[in-house]
Amino acid sequence: MTLLILGTIGLDTIETPFGKKQDILGGSAVHAAVSASFYTDTAIVGVAGSDFSQEHMDFLKSRKINTSGISIMPGETFRWSGYYEYDMNQAHTRDTKLNVYGKFEPKIPADLLNSEYLFLANLDPELQLKILDQTRPKFAALDTMNFWIDTKREFLHEAIKRVDFVLMNEGEIRQFMETPNLPLAASRLLKLGAKNVIVKKGEHGALLFTPNSHFSAPSYPQDVLRDPTGAGDSFAGGFMGYLAKTGDLSEANIRRAIVIGSVMASFNVEDFSLDRMKRLKFKEVLDRFSEFRRFSEFEALSAVLS
Ligand code: AMP
């Protein structure tokens, strides 16, 4: 099944306690698509400027990502600059330059209009709505961030009502729902019209809230952590890619997909940009999935207590 991803194609300037890199490949659509490409046919809708190098395009194609929905416009590529301190769950934005995204009118290529899976990665919710108007997916999910919560709250509400899953990190959902309590924030978001909510908690795992159930995905003892940028997007790419590949939307499979998302994010943070994903072998993914299972297994209470 084809997974269509709308989001940014970007060049990031990032500082972490482990180094500083300028204008490296990033963007929400890029991180999500590369992660999803380990599972299913993946296509990007987005825009890059004339300064976007052919080397980056070739890398996307080498992952068999369909790039026919990427327009190249005169002007500069989207740029995000940020830094992290020792709490790497918290990204601090220094600067966001929408550049070519300021004039972007997203249009899905005709042969991708019937894509059954749609991921609206972090981007202007007005553009997310324009994609929802063009397509009727079987399953759609959306991600966002504080930048859009602050500037486009009403459009974001509208988009949230029209997708099956909303993914946010813990800081974002707290800010959006104006409460420090995550279960309360999730239930407020469900009341606002979200059908299901996933709260990403970085190295501390992820939480699933549906109208009638709750699941807590395990945390992973991450010992290699150089750059958390793209963790949320690679989580979403793994989650969506796995669901598109299996076509099974049962809750048991959604839970597996959340762990797959966590596995992909755990690799992405091991190096800057997409560098770890470039070296990643599928065998490593399978091994880490097994580790995730092992870390969260425990047995029923001893019969002595019953
Ligand atoms: P995350 O997975 O949340 O760490 O997302 C990181 C990626 O999001 C970076 O590679 C940035 O290029 C991109 N990004 C940063 N700010 C924005 C924004 N306001 N809208 C869309 N994408 C963004």
Side-chain angles (χ1 to χ4, degrees):
M1 282 305 151
T2 299
L3 167 63
L4 188 66
I5 298 179
L6 168 81
T8 44
I9 295 159
L11 296 173
D12 294 339
T13 294
I14 295 164
E15 197 173 346
T16 82
F18 308 102
K20 184 170 179 182
K21 305 266 176 176
Q22 192 157 358
D23 285 342
I24 52 178
L25 178 62
S28 57
V30 171
H31 280 289
V34 170
S35 173
S37 69
F38 283 81
Y39 301 91
T40 196
D41 293 341
T42 303
I44 295 181
V45 173
V47 60
S50 39
D51 55 351
F52 193 69
S53 87
Q54 187 58 41
E55 186 192 328
H56 296 329
M57 222 37 156
D58 291 344
F59 164 59
L60 295 177
K61 288 183 185 148
S62 76
R63 292 285 333 151
K64 307 226 169 1
I65 293 168
N66 181 333
T67 57
S68 63
I70 300 183
S71 347
I72 305 289
M73 278 169 60
E76 285 189 45
T77 297
F78 172 88
R79 274 177 173 71
W80 177 75
S81 151
Y83 69 95
Y84 303 84
E85 291 171 338
Y86 278 98
D87 174 4
M88 303 266 261
N89 284 328
Q90 182 63 49
H92 303 276
T93 295
R94 281 198 171 114
D95 194 22
T96 304
K97 285 204 164 63
L98 296 179
N99 293 334
V100 286
Y101 274 88
K103 293 181 237 115
F104 180 48
E105 281 297 324
K107 189 155 171 15
I108 305 177
D111 60 325
L112 293 171
L113 279 173
N114 292 329
S115 303
E116 292 198 330
Y117 291 79
L118 173 67
F119 178 54
L120 302 170
N122 180 22
L123 186 61
D124 182 342
E126 272 194 89
L127 300 183
Q128 295 179 322
L129 285 166
K130 285 186 180 168
I131 288 293
L132 286 167
D133 289 341
Q134 291 172 44
T135 174
R136 294 273 166 279
K138 170 174 156 190
F139 185 88
L142 163 161
D143 195 356
T144 193
M145 73 179 286
N146 49 9
F147 189 86
W148 304 115
I149 294 173
D150 291 338
T151 58
K152 300 261 175 134
R153 187 173 268 265
E154 290 312 313
F155 291 105
L156 185 56
H157 273 175
E158 202 43 49
I160 281 173
K161 286 189 216 149
R162 291 176 56 184
V163 296
D164 301 288
F165 267 75
V166 176
L167 284 71
M168 282 191 191
N169 74 29
E170 50 185 328
E172 290 153 1
I173 193 169
R174 283 186 176 117
Q175 177 193 351
F176 193 36
M177 294 295 103
E178 295 173 350
T179 170
N181 180 308
L182 290 179
L184 181 59
S187 84
R188 283 187 184 167
L189 196 52
L190 290 168
K191 280 204 193 84
L192 258 181
K195 298 187 186 74
N196 301 280
V197 176
I198 293 178
V199 181
K200 299 166 286 173
K201 295 172 61 197
E203 63 199 300
H204 305 301
L207 305 174
L208 166 69
F209 297 92
T210 79
N212 40 38
S213 66
H214 171 66
F215 169 64
S216 174
S219 64
Y220 181 72
Q222 191 82 42
D223 53 356
V224 189
L225 172 54
R226 294 191 72 212
D227 171 21
T229 310
D233 307 313
S234 42
F235 175 98
F239 172 77
M240 291 297 293
Y242 173 78
L243 289 178
K245 169 78 177 174
T246 55
D248 172 359
L249 299 174
S250 66
E251 186 168 328
N253 207 45
I254 299 264
R255 290 181 179 209
R256 265 183 231 119
I258 291 174
V259 177
I260 286 284
S262 307
V263 167
M264 300 311 283
S266 76
F267 283 113
N268 192 64
V269 302
E270 288 183 2
D271 209 342
F272 282 85
S273 184
L274 282 300
D275 291 358
R276 182 62 176 99
M277 302 306 257
K278 288 181 181 170
R279 305 190 296 270
L280 183 62
K281 301 278 177 286
F282 198 63
K283 166 87 171 62
E284 296 177 284
V285 172
L286 298 177
D287 289 348
R288 192 162 288 183
F289 184 87
S290 304
E291 274 187 277
F292 266 79
R293 282 199 71 193
R294 251 197 344 270
F295 291 147
S296 54
E297 248 168 22
F298 53 91
E299 297 190 353
L301 280 177
S302 151
V304 179
L305 288 180
S306 57

